[in-house]
Structure formats: C-alpha cells, structure tokens
Amino acid sequence: MIPQIKTSPMVDALVVQYLNELKSIGFSGDIATDYATRLSLATDNSIYQLLPQAVLFPRDSHDVQQLACLAHKKSYQTICFTPRGGGTGTNGQSLNKDIIVDLSRHMNRILDLNLEEGWVKVEAGVVKDQLNQYLAPYGYFFSPELSTSNRATIGGMISTDASGQGSMVYGKTSDHTLATQVVLLTGEILETGKKSITEVQHIIQQNNTIAAIYRTVFDYCKNHRDLILQRFPKLNRFLTGYDLKHVFNDDLTEFDLTRIITGSEGTLAFVTQATLHIIPLPKVRYLINIKYDSFQSALKHASFLVKAKALSVETIDSKVLALAKEDIIWQSVQHLITDVVGQDLQGINIVEFAGQDEVDIQQKFTALCQQLDQLLDNQQAGVIGYQTCQQLSEINKIYAMRKKAVGLLGNTKGVQKPIPFVEDTCVPPEHLADYISEFRALLDEYNLTYGMFGHVDSGVLHVRPALDLCNSEQRKLVKIISDRVVELTTKYGGLLWGEHGKGLRSAYSPQFFGEKLYNGLRLIKSAFDPNNRLNPGKICVPLNIEQPLYAIDSISRGHYDKLIPVSIKQTFHGATECNGNGLCFNFDINSPMCPSMKITANRVYSPKGRAALVREWLRLLVELGVNEDEINTIYPQKRGTLIELVKRIGNSWRARLGEYDFSHEVKQSMSYCLSCKACSTECPIKIDVPDFKARFLQLYHTRYLRPLRDYAVGNIEVYLPLMAKAPRFFNFFMKLSITDYLSKKTVGMTSLPLISYPTLKKQLIAHHSANIKLEYLESLTEQERQQYVLIVQDPFTSYYDAKVVYDFVKLIEKLGFKPVVLPFIPNGKAQHIKGFLTQFAKTATNAAQVLSRIAKLMIPMVGVDPALVLCYRDEYRNIAPQAKQDFMVQLSHEWLMQVLDQLPEIERPQLDEFYLLGHCSESSQLPASSMQWQSLFKRFGAKLIPVNVGCCGMAGTYGHELANLADSKRLYQLSWQKALNRYPKERCLTTGYSCRSQVKRFDKLILNHPLQALLGLLN
C-alpha cells in the first residue's frame, strides 16, 4: 500500500490574503494555489524548476489591471509577479517563486484587423499559428517565424523579441510590433507606439508615472546615443533586454517606447494587447535541401548561400537527422531528403527563396541550382547532392521537421541529454564556421556529445551539449561551459543570447554591456518597477536595490530528479524524460496531440503537466521510504487481505471528507487522460502518458478503493461474450430509460451501446470457411494455408459492431482468399487503461501464448480496430515483456497492402471520392496508414481523401463515463462534427469503433469502415 503524501509546499499567508481579496473585488479569472497547477508551471523548456506561490489566469485586460491595482496597496508591496505566455522559453524567462500571471488560458482573442493599413490587434495569449491561420484567408501573415509557433503566444514573443527562420528578411518580433497595451504594477495602463518628438516632450512635462517612464527612457537613450550605437553589435539577432538602440529612429525624429517593452521578459509590465504589422503571404516559394559530407562543410558553405539572396538558410547536423528518422515526422519528409548512394550524409542546409515576384525568385533559385551542379561535378565544398521542393505542402513538411529538432534532441538515448543553456549564441555569419570549430573543441575537451541546428544566415547556431543534470559534477559544467562560451562569443564579436532571450543568463549582462550601459538598463527598470516586483532576478535590478540576479546554475530539474532511483526512472521513463518542449500545448484542433489539454486549456491535463506531477509523486514516495520494487512491480508482493480492504475503505472515506493526499491531485490529472496514445508518437520525446497513467492507477488503488465503473470497464471482455449469447434479452433492458438512470447512479456510465444483432456468430453461419477449426488448418500443407486469412476479434467490433467483421469476411472472400474468424481471445486493453496491471499482464501473457501457437501456421492474422490491434505491439511490450513477441497481428490495410499485387485493379470512368477521418491512435502510431488506404482505394478505382481531425472524444469507454460526457461532446464538436459538416456524410469513413460510436451517438449517423467501402466498390 502506497503511503499518504500529506503535505504540499505552503502558500505564504500574505499571498493567501491577497488572493482572497482579489476574488472579493471581482477578479473574473481563475485563481490556483493547488500543488498540481503550481508544479505544471514550475518548468518551461529550460533546465530550471522554480515552484511558484500561486497562479492567476486573467480573462481580460481589466482582470490584469485589477490584480495590479490590488498589488499596489501598501500591505501587498512585498508580493512579486511573473507574466507567462506559452512557457516555451529555454532560459527560465517565465519561471519564478512568486505569483505567476498566465495570460495564455483566456486572453486569446483576435480583436481587430485592418488590411488597408496592414495591421492586426490581438490579446497577449493568441498563439502565433492561431493568428496566421486566421490571417491566411485574407492572404496575410505575421512573419516572425519560430520553431514553437504552434504553442508560443504573441505576448511571449514580444517579451523575448522572438525570431527564427527568415529573420534576415522578416526581422524580429520587435520589427513588427506597432503598439502595445501594457499594465504597470501601479494598475495604470500604458499604450505604446511611435510618437513624434513633440508628442513625447508634451508627455514628459506631466507629473505622473507614465510621464516619468517616458522622461527616463527619452533622456537616457538620447544622452547616451553614441555609446549605445558603438557598443551594440551590428547583428540581426542582437538582444539586449531593453532595446536602447531602436527607441529612436535613425534621424531622431520619432520615439517608440514599444522597443523597450519588446525583449523585456516581463520585468517592466504586463503585456495585455498588441497591434502587429502583417504582410502579404509570398506568392512564390522554392526550397533546396543541400546535402554535405560533413557538418563543417555545411557551416563553411553558409556564407556562400547567404550571397544567393535567399529568404533563409537553415542548417541541421547528422545527429538531429538521425533522431528525425526515428520519429513520426520522418514519414512525411523521407522522400524529400533521401540518402546519397555511396556517401555518408552528415548535414544539410535548407535554403528557401520566397517573394511576390515569380521571375525574380525563379532566377535566384535556378542560379543557385546551377552553382550546386558545378560544385557536384567538381566535388567541391563538401556538397554531395541536393533536392528541390516547389510545392507549399512539401516545404511545410520540411519546416515541420526542422521545427521539431528542438524536441528531437531530447530523445537522445542515455542519461545524458542535449540541453539548452548556450544554445542560441550569435556571431557574424562570416565567422560562424571558425567560431563553431572552437566551440566544438571546447565541448570535446569535456568529452561531451552535442546536437546542432540553426539559422546560419544570421549567425545563430543552436548547440546543445549533452549532460546528466542528476549528476552533481555535470551540473557544474553548466556554469563552466557558459563562462567559456561568453569569452568565445566576445572573441568573435557576438553574444551569448542571440535568439532566446536572457532569463537566468542575465548575470552575464554587466560584463557584456559595461557599467554605464548596464546602469542604463537598471535606470529604466527603476522607472517601471522601482521595487523589483516584476519577474525579479532577470535582466537587471533597479538602481536602488542590490538584490542579486539568478545565477545560471540555479536550481535545475536535475536537483529534484536525482532523488528518484534509476530503476524507477526506467519504469516511468515517459514521465522522467519529459524535457518540457511543450509540443503537447499545440493549439491546432485538428492535431491529435492531447485532447484533454485542448478542451480544458489546463496545463495540468497535458502530457508535460502529467509528467511533472508523476515525477514529483515518485520523488515524494521515495522520500517516504517506499522501496523501488514496490513502485516498479506490476505484481503485488502479497494477496489483498480483508485488513487491507478495510484500510482502503477507511482511506477512501477520509479522502471523501477532504483529507489531503498529493496522490489525489495526480489522480485528478490522470482522470482527464483519454489514453489515445497520441503523445507516445507525436511528442518528440515519446512521452507515453497512458503507460505511466496505468502504472500510477495500480499503485494509487493499493491505498484507495476503485469506483465500480473501473470494474465494469476492466471486465468488459468477460461479460460481453456472455451477453452476446442472448442479445435481444440484454438489448431490451439496455434500451430502458431506467437502465440508463441506474447505470449513471451506480457506476457512472451513460449511453451504453447495444449488442449487435444479428450477432457475428449468427451472420457467419452461412460462411463455411469462417467457421473452420484450427485443427483443420494444421492438417493443410504450407501452400494450401496461403489461401487463408485469420481474423482476430476484438471485443468492441465483434460484439457492438459485428457487421464490420462480417463485411471483412465477405471482402476477403471476394478477393479470392478464405477467411477464418478465430475464437474470441481477450486482449486486455481495457484493463490496461484502468490500471489493472496484474490482470492485464495475465491476460496479455495468455493471449500471447495462444497467438504465438497460431502464428506457427504462418497464416496472416488480421484485426480491424486500430486501438486493440496496436495494443499487441505497444502495451504488451511495455507491461508484459514475458509475453513472447513472436506473433504479429496486422491491421486490415497492412495485410491488404501485402497482397496488393494480387488484388483486382479496377478502372472506372469516374472516380468515386471517399473521405477518411483518422483514428487518433492509428494516425499517430502508423502515420503511413492514410497513404496506404489511399493506395488501396486507387487500386479499387476510387479516390480517398484523408481528413485531418483531432480526437473524436470517445476513446474507448472515456466518452461513456458520466463525468466525461460534457468534455466528450465538446471534443467531438471541436473537430469531428465540423469535418462531417464539410463533406458528404455517406462518403465519410473511419477505422475506429470508438469514432463510429461517437458519430452515431451525437449525429445519428452510421459511418462505414474503409473495408466496407472497398466491399461496396467490388460489389
């Protein structure tokens, strides 16, 4: 029995008082002090972990103004605040030990659009890709590009002056931020934007806080203009914290305080709204993937490529390419970056040309291709090949792979992981190759491996040394290497923070800027935040305060993770290896990644949030003395006794009365997980939440009773075959409203499906081959067996949707094969989902033994439901390794692809069009499946169009649980319902039983399985 985790870090009494008063004055946003929420925001995409006191989620600018006004009261002037957006920073910019103000959950509205003047006005929580998705139909986009664009917020981009691919042409966020609305900690609203010198002189003559801010910035930047221009490097990616250089325009006729806000990392004010410059989408885009024999060759060739006047030149080394090849993303780009025969591909440069003038772009593109041909002919510059992309869809696929590079590095095998702390240095591009040579020598000196990628056109290269931060000696290297890299960047006329801001690297600012300019930053901080209450410890401190800045080797996640034994980390590897890249925050409703995060907008219910909670839960268990074997085993050390049951009853009763146990917060987070498995492939680190969720549930329920519905779900494969013996009898009762009422009240289940009638067994009576016994097959020769196909049943399709299996039997017969429906063998998927791991291991072992014996017949074994078939490949391997993996159950399309050449090739005068709505597990775990289905439909004389959708909201039995009903429906409406309304419903198909069940429940439609459509085409 796991122990009770009785306490969580307390919230200061003054903070509690502040929060209570904030609520009483009408703050309409969310207020969170629970340990789970605080933990979920204690990390970002950096190596650091800082636990906040509380988290505020304002709904609008008025809420932000309210919290600031209250904070300005004398009694609360020791409380500090840190604004937060998408939490994608690599240097701890949005981490602190105070109150976090998260602007991403609610403040995500697009407020106004003016195409004539070329601007859009948004709230700070709008995601970059969300904005561009909105602008695309108008032919415009917000141009600063970055790898985290599907979860980075505009407020965060402004705070870090974000930029990325294409910045030599498109610039940084500050170049496109026309105006901001910010809330000062006094509660006053400051509107920034370009102003004439006359306007500014009028403002500074007034006697208020805003006038004092204008006066301070204006006077300092004007009086020190020569020093600022002299000291600031002429680099595209030069970040200062407060942009003293661009406050004035070149001829000193305009002044713009916006430039002080961009890059300020939340140390001056809360950015609540922004007016952004937007530009027309390029009409023409060409891309070239250039391949090299060494990464050094790729770097040295960069300056030559920059002269080609391309939009961007991106580089990726062989380590990142190798990791990409192991990821789901490679499926989409492997035909665009093929290996060169007889050559070892060690790096690529991605060169893009884009613009409005097709003739100009075509000429630049053609000229570079001709130059590359000459280099290939003469075997020069290390170029070993190149490929071109001229279709927008293919270009986007290449960049999707490049964007995922950050996360992919975290999937490096072993305890040493490439981590960010010196990974966005910037030097003049002409010095990049020499600089990197010295950088590599420095890392080699410490015997460190590393991955590299970046923007070579602007001299920025992302270098991530691999360290084990649980090792105290390796943690020391963070400071040692940082110090030496600062010296190295200085030598080459660059700087440490070229792209990702300062954050906890701010302590290097004084030596970089020099005393006079650094005091200028402090003077500006004093004007905005004289008491150092906004994101303290970053950028600088006010002049009258000597509080130190955070050190670069401040508390890292490794400080806590080192306390978890290695064997436990291996068992719960999904939770312990999460590197915080945040891809699970993807806003796109058509992405399968983490439906519970999408529907709640709560980071606690994301894979990253769940991983953080489980890591802390494991650490606390170890601290309480629970041994490794107890945590790791799926088999209990002893059978449950009556005494143990009585204890669980007592524990559960006290829990209902409100007795605290941190385990309850972890359980709450897990309850919202749909076990869709998208995280296990979509996440670059392969964070498999359903795996560690199942392990957690098993341990949790050694202390607390399970709800009845868990037993109802976990034993579904026991009672379904029994119910199928009298389907009409059971269906009669299932249709009664009293049954639904009792089901809701007793087990918390609703909308339970009916047993198929006629049953599968009844439908198969007329099909002799389908009822053949295994003994008969064993008597056949190997050649005779090649005519047969074995259908492996799953509980949901066989007993709730039997017509699909029956139609598969008919399809197999039509194709000239002999189908045999195997006796039903329990799979155990439902047991795994509910954390009955002891039972699951036994079920899996039994199924594996049976299927292994059948596999010896060398006859294909095929199933129709993706979630159940993929369970044999995934959960069986992870939870029941003792179940021999010497059998293979294929999905129907996999088997059909194997016999594709034997299938009839049908030609039709007019192609019938069908639409495939992807099942989330199949789409994630078998990314090639939609293309394979397309090939099959083409063979049958029809056209299949894949439709990108997110989760349908059913996910096995999740949607039938009463507690999840509302969210299940909202998830369905979010993506699936919209897709079905766009296409002819009778032509829409899906492979998943859960998906068909959800459509039937909410839209009263019967969707076909693609197999049924193929059968129809044959008929």
Side-chain angles (χ1 to χ4, degrees), residues 634-635 698 706 711 831 835-844:
I634 60 172
Y635 292 104
Q698 175 179 263
R706 290 180 179 275
Y711 293 100
Q831 293 172 334
F836 291 100
L837 293 191
T838 303
Q839 295 92 321
F840 173 73
K842 293 175 181 176
T843 301

Side-chain angles (χ1 to χ4, degrees), residues 339-575:
D339 288 326
V340 180
V341 178
Q343 297 279 1
D344 189 13
L345 177 58
Q346 290 294 309
I348 62 170
N349 279 332
I350 304 169
V351 184
E352 183 183 356
F353 297 93
Q356 306 297 320
D357 188 334
E358 185 167 0
V359 174
D360 177 57
I361 299 300
Q362 177 71 53
Q363 286 176 345
K364 291 177 181 176
F365 172 76
T366 303
L368 182 55
C369 288
Q370 290 172 348
Q371 290 171 323
L372 292 172
D373 287 332
Q374 291 175 2
L375 292 174
L376 279 169
D377 291 341
N378 299 321
Q379 297 184 343
Q380 292 178 320
V383 177
I384 59 174
Y386 71 91
Q387 287 175 263
T388 63
C389 301
Q390 298 182 26
Q391 294 182 13
L392 181 59
S393 60
E394 292 190 339
I395 292 172
N396 287 338
K397 287 174 184 176
I398 290 290
Y399 281 127
M401 185 271 290
R402 161 62 185 84
K403 286 183 175 185
K404 210 171 184 182
V406 178
L408 288 173
L409 279 171
N411 202 34
T412 302
K413 301 295 184 289
V415 295
Q416 293 182 210
K417 303 291 186 183
I419 57 170
F421 63 99
V422 288
E423 52 83 60
D424 62 326
T425 59
C426 181
V427 300
E430 61 271 21
H431 300 321
L432 186 60
D434 293 335
Y435 163 73
I436 287 297
S437 291
E438 288 200 48
F439 199 148
R440 296 175 92 167
L442 188 162
L443 298 179
D444 291 343
E445 187 180 324
Y446 294 98
N447 298 313
L448 298 177
T449 59
Y450 43 86
M452 294 186 176
F453 58 97
H455 321 286
V456 290
D457 52 352
S458 55
V460 173
L461 200 68
H462 303 300
V463 183
R464 294 195 168 196
L467 297 174
D468 176 11
L469 292 180
C470 293
N471 181 310
S472 59
E473 291 304 310
Q474 295 220 339
R475 282 204 303 276
K476 293 176 184 177
L477 289 177
V478 171
K479 175 76 163 59
I480 293 168
I481 291 173
S482 296
D483 288 347
R484 293 190 61 182
V485 171
V486 167
E487 293 174 6
L488 190 60
T489 53
T490 303
K491 173 182 175 180
Y492 283 97
L495 74 167
L496 180 64
W497 43 78
E499 183 174 54
H500 294 160
K502 292 181 179 178
L504 273 69
R505 304 183 296 182
S506 297
Y508 290 109
S509 289
Q511 69 187 82
F512 179 81
F513 290 106
E515 183 179 359
K516 190 171 288 186
L517 281 183
Y518 184 65
N519 282 342
L521 300 183
R522 295 184 67 185
L523 183 67
I524 291 169
K525 171 75 170 175
S526 302
F528 278 90
D529 180 27
N531 296 318
N532 199 31
R533 298 174 61 202
L534 282 171
N535 206 7
K538 321 285 179 61
I539 307 289
C540 63
V541 295
L543 281 173
N544 60 330
I545 292 176
E546 293 307 321
Q547 180 180 332
L549 298 174
Y550 279 109
I552 195 166
D553 52 356
S554 296
I555 292 179
S556 71
R557 234 190 67 186
H559 175 81
Y560 300 98
D561 291 352
K562 69 180 180 182
L563 303 174
I564 305 172
V566 173
S567 71
I568 295 176
K569 288 179 184 175
Q570 291 170 342
T571 300
F572 288 84
H573 64 275

Side-chain angles (χ1 to χ4, degrees), residues 813-881:
E813 290 178 334
K814 283 271 187 183
L815 296 175
F817 295 90
K818 296 179 179 180
V820 176
V821 178
L822 293 176
F824 174 68
I825 306 165
N827 171 285
K829 174 79 172 179
Q831 293 172 334
H832 183 272
I833 287 172
K834 290 300 180 182
F836 291 100
L837 293 191
T838 303
Q839 295 92 321
F840 173 73
K842 293 175 181 176
T843 301
T845 301
N846 178 68
Q849 289 172 348
V850 174
L851 292 171
S852 293
R853 287 197 301 270
I854 296 172
K856 292 176 182 177
L857 295 171
M858 303 298 289
I859 302 174
M861 293 189 291
V862 187
V864 296
D865 189 77
L868 276 294
V869 169
L870 292 172
C871 180
Y872 294 121
R873 306 179 198 179
D874 192 356
E875 286 88 344
Y876 274 39
R877 183 185 69 248
N878 292 331
I879 298 297

Side-chain angles (χ1 to χ4, degrees), residues 494-684:
L495 74 167
L496 180 64
W497 43 78
E499 183 174 54
H500 294 160
K502 292 181 179 178
L504 273 69
R505 304 183 296 182
S506 297
Y508 290 109
S509 289
Q511 69 187 82
F512 179 81
F513 290 106
E515 183 179 359
K516 190 171 288 186
L517 281 183
Y518 184 65
N519 282 342
L521 300 183
R522 295 184 67 185
L523 183 67
I524 291 169
K525 171 75 170 175
S526 302
F528 278 90
D529 180 27
N531 296 318
N532 199 31
R533 298 174 61 202
L534 282 171
N535 206 7
K538 321 285 179 61
I539 307 289
C540 63
V541 295
L543 281 173
N544 60 330
I545 292 176
E546 293 307 321
Q547 180 180 332
L549 298 174
Y550 279 109
I552 195 166
D553 52 356
S554 296
I555 292 179
S556 71
R557 234 190 67 186
H559 175 81
Y560 300 98
D561 291 352
K562 69 180 180 182
L563 303 174
I564 305 172
V566 173
S567 71
I568 295 176
K569 288 179 184 175
Q570 291 170 342
T571 300
F572 288 84
H573 64 275
T576 56
E577 291 192 3
C578 173
N579 71 344
N581 70 83
L583 187 60
C584 47
F585 301 157
N586 185 352
F587 91 100
D588 186 1
I589 60 173
N590 293 322
S591 161
M593 179 58 116
C594 202
S596 54
M597 168 61 200
K598 284 185 175 64
I599 205 66
T600 63
N602 190 336
R603 303 288 162 95
V604 172
Y605 303 133
S606 68
K608 178 182 172 181
R610 292 180 175 118
L613 265 60
V614 168
R615 281 199 310 275
E616 180 66 358
W617 177 73
L618 291 170
R619 186 185 71 81
L620 293 172
L621 287 183
V622 172
E623 195 175 85
L624 289 171
V626 182
N627 66 53
E628 297 175 45
D629 289 341
E630 270 187 276
I631 294 174
N632 290 337
T633 186
I634 60 172
Y635 292 104
Q637 298 298 310
K638 56 183 179 179
R639 288 182 172 275
T641 63
L642 182 59
I643 294 174
E644 291 292 315
L645 176 60
V646 171
K647 285 181 179 178
R648 286 203 299 274
I649 291 172
N651 294 336
S652 300
W653 180 253
R654 286 189 292 275
R656 291 186 66 179
L657 294 176
E659 185 177 75
Y660 181 78
D661 184 344
F662 175 60
S663 302
H664 300 327
E665 294 191 54
V666 185
K667 171 65 162 58
Q668 173 71 7
S669 172
M670 297 303 177
S671 297
Y672 278 87
C673 172
L674 284 79
S675 294
C676 66
K677 302 287 285 188
C679 51
S680 68
T681 52
E682 295 289 325
C683 169

Side-chain angles (χ1 to χ4, degrees), residues 83-127:
R84 181 174 174 126
T88 60
T90 59
N91 298 295
Q93 289 97 324
S94 61
L95 305 183
N96 233 314
K97 298 177 182 178
D98 44 41
I99 295 178
I100 300 294
V101 181
D102 189 319
L103 301 149
S104 69
R105 180 180 290 183
H106 300 301
M107 294 180 62
N108 49 23
R109 291 170 285 265
I110 297 171
L111 303 171
D112 199 3
L113 174 65
N114 189 318
L115 295 178
E116 289 183 5
E117 297 180 13
W119 57 260
V120 64
K121 188 175 184 179
V122 301
E123 288 185 313
V126 168
V127 171

